[in-house]
Amino acid sequence: MRWQGGRESENVEDRRSQGGGGFGGGGRGGIRIGKGGLGIGGVVVLLLVSVVLGVDPTVLLNGGDPADRSTAGRTQIGEAAPRSQADDELKRFVSVVLADTEDTWRGLFQQMGRQYQAPTLVLFTGTVSSGCGRAQAAMGPFYCPMDQKLYIDLGFYRELRDRFQAPGDFAQAYVIAHEVGHHVQTLLGISEQVQAAQQRARNPADANALSVRLELQADCFAGLWGNHANRDRKMLEPGDVEEALTAASAIGDDRLQRQASGTVSPDSFTHGSSAQRVRWFRTGLESGRIEACDTFGTDRL
């Protein structure tokens, strides 16, 4: 990516020096995952996250390190480490990416006759207190609609590179753009409508199906940003698109479940399969149009 020298967003809050501490409940009903504004009770969320990300649920419940000895000797997400020049460079990178999403979505909202309200990106290490409760880095990056902030422990990028085999700066940018996509859904009222529909759902499978559509739309919005970043500001270089597609495929529900347990349960999907995530990211990337990201108006995901 040609990001060096780009404008850095002023909406970055660096809390990395405040990391550490055990996992604690926050808000009503325990922690609430901010993906697209879907509030779920604490224990259910923790178990769900453990399945989707392949994380030992005791890590999330107890705030400890994974019991899986296969990770011994590897740097874990949220593990305290001396700040380095690379850390500062990564902070600049995410600041530039966030600023570019601001430019893209500000213009698109103006076309709709609306005003874009930029979110804040919070950098943290280990655990963090958000408007949706207290969260651990092991849960991965998330968006909280209650305070309209994105949260990420930059150690996640090591996991993306080493565990998920999805290296590259555009793969990292995709993560930010996806969470910004959830912010856009909040501003447009989509998340609120989905949450209401989930509450009326007849069973958990129906509620999960709505979550999948919400997540795939955020993937499409991330691709839409990539379209504008390349078309308007020539940010992409050869190989960048492949990096993002690799990342989208690596974190599909089917792939993560197979890695975690050896089996796949489509009814429990919350983010979509690898093929679905790739398809919708590519849809946004190739079209550059919000209308093309209507994951709720199609039978084919």
Side-chain angles (χ1 to χ4, degrees):
M1 279 183 65
R2 300 181 183 93
W3 65 272
Q4 290 86 350
R7 178 180 72 86
E8 294 184 35
S9 175
E10 297 180 353
N11 299 308
V12 177
E13 184 181 341
D14 194 345
R15 297 191 204 168
R16 288 177 292 174
S17 62
Q18 303 173 22
F23 183 89
R28 291 180 296 178
I31 184 167
R32 308 173 79 192
I33 292 297
K35 295 280 190 181
L38 306 180
I40 308 175
V43 174
V44 174
V45 168
L46 294 177
L47 293 176
L48 176 62
V49 171
S50 70
V51 170
V52 172
L53 294 181
V55 176
D56 182 346
T58 60
V59 178
L60 306 180
L61 290 169
N62 301 326
D65 293 327
D68 182 1
R69 296 182 183 273
S70 66
T71 61
R74 232 176 28 163
T75 303
Q76 301 296 317
I77 297 178
E79 180 177 321
R83 296 278 277 277
S84 65
Q85 184 175 354
D87 293 327
D88 293 336
E89 182 81 350
L90 194 52
K91 178 185 176 182
R92 285 193 293 271
F93 169 76
V94 298
S95 297
V96 170
V97 171
L98 183 65
D100 205 82
T101 66
E102 292 168 354
D103 295 339
T104 292
W105 286 108
R106 186 176 295 113
L108 291 172
F109 268 58
Q110 286 176 352
Q111 293 176 18
M112 294 185 289
R114 307 178 62 144
Q115 184 174 1
Y116 180 65
Q117 300 171 330
T120 295
L121 173 61
V122 178
L123 305 178
F124 71 98
T125 301
T127 62
V128 67
S129 179
S130 75
C132 297
R134 193 159 182 85
Q136 274 205 344
M139 299 173 67
F142 68 97
Y143 168 74
C144 174
M146 304 299 290
D147 56 18
Q148 297 193 1
K149 293 182 178 182
L150 290 61
Y151 293 82
I152 184 171
D153 183 322
L154 294 177
F156 175 78
Y157 286 144
R158 291 193 299 272
E159 292 286 294
L160 192 64
R161 179 194 66 205
D162 299 336
R163 177 183 171 193
F164 298 116
Q165 300 298 301
D169 49 10
F170 196 53
Q172 296 172 344
Y174 155 71
V175 172
I176 300 297
H178 174 92
E179 299 306 334
V180 170
H182 284 307
H183 177 64
V184 171
Q185 291 171 324
T186 295
L187 296 181
L188 295 179
I190 298 171
S191 298
E192 184 177 3
Q193 294 175 32
V194 170
Q195 185 173 8
Q198 285 185 311
Q199 292 173 349
R200 297 191 302 268
R202 295 170 298 178
N203 53 61
D206 289 345
N208 286 343
L210 289 167
S211 176
V212 167
R213 291 180 182 273
L214 196 72
E215 294 294 336
L216 293 177
Q217 186 178 65
D219 281 331
C220 190
F221 284 166
L224 183 154
W225 162 74
N227 174 288
H228 287 265
N230 190 47
R231 186 184 68 186
D232 302 336
R233 294 173 287 281
K234 311 300 181 187
M235 290 185 71
L236 301 192
E237 296 177 307
D240 280 345
V241 172
E242 288 72 18
E243 290 176 0
L245 293 177
T246 297
S249 176
I251 54 179
D253 283 333
D254 53 341
R255 184 166 175 177
L256 293 177
Q257 287 185 359
R258 190 174 291 111
Q259 290 175 345
S261 64
T263 60
V264 175
S265 176
D267 283 347
S268 67
F269 284 2
T270 57
H271 287 61
S273 69
S274 293
Q276 289 171 333
R277 300 199 72 166
V278 166
R279 174 175 178 258
W280 283 101
F281 177 82
R282 190 186 290 277
T283 295
L285 185 67
E286 293 177 353
S287 71
R289 298 183 298 109
I290 293 180
E291 296 81 4
C293 295
D294 183 11
T295 56
F296 297 93
T298 179
D299 293 331
R300 178 176 177 265
L301 292 180

